[in-house]
């Protein structure tokens, strides 16, 4: 990313101090290419970092999940429940453990509806 930025600065400087129009155009084109390359590398790096952060978050969430399951098991064991109720709750607990944690729901996207005066907007 830094190399792409430095190339962009270098080519911009060459384009500014170029003695002919052809040199300025070539330097400007090379600057644009180096900027695109720097942007691509930065985008790739950021996506890789986001994936690594997601995996790391999953790794550190696992002990929290286990403590929740153990707390639920203790509550069921200490509760005054019939065998049938205890079996249903433990079955639901085992199913929750088998499916794993669910990702948080995505925030709802707001939709802007433009309307023409005199007409109703359809949603």
């Amino acid at each position: 990313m830094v190399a792409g930025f430095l190339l962009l600065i270098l080519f911009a400087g060459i384009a500014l101090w170029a003695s002919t129009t052809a040199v300025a155009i070539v330097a400007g084109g090379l600057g644009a290419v180096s900027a695109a390359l720097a942007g691509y590398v930065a985008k790739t790096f950021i996506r890789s970092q986001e994936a690594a952060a997601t995996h790391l978050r999953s790794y550190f969430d696992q002990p929290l999940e286990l403590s929740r399951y153990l707390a639920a098991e203790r509550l069921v064991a200490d509760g005054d429940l019939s065998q049938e109720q205890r079996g249903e709750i433990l079955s639901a607990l085992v199913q929750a453990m088998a499916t794993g944690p669910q990702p948080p729901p995505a925030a709802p996207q707001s939709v802007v509806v433009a309307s023409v005066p005199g007409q109703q907007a359809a949603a």
Side-chain angles (χ1 to χ4, degrees), residues 41 77-78 82:
V41 170
D78 293 341
S82 67

Side-chain angles (χ1 to χ4, degrees), residues 14-15 27 29 31 36 39 47 49-50 66 68 72 75-76 78 83 87 94 109 111 121-122:
I14 291 172
R47 282 188 180 170
Q49 189 274 337
E50 287 173 351
L66 182 62
R68 288 179 180 161
L75 287 172
V76 169
D78 293 341
Q83 284 297 96
V94 168
Q109 299 286 331
V111 178

Side-chain angles (χ1 to χ4, degrees), residues 56-121:
L56 189 62
R57 196 173 311 115
S58 297
Y59 176 78
F60 284 110
D61 283 344
Q62 196 277 334
L64 178 62
E65 292 172 35
L66 182 62
S67 69
R68 288 179 180 161
Y69 296 139
L70 290 174
E73 184 182 29
R74 285 187 204 115
L75 287 172
V76 169
D78 293 341
D80 188 25
L81 303 172
S82 67
Q83 284 297 96
E84 183 177 307
Q85 291 173 328
R86 183 172 287 146
E88 289 176 13
I89 293 173
L90 289 178
S91 173
L93 183 61
V94 168
Q95 287 177 354
M97 290 173 66
T99 59
Q102 301 300 318
Q109 299 286 331
S110 62
V111 178
V112 177
V113 178
S115 63
V116 177
Q119 293 182 350
Q120 291 183 344

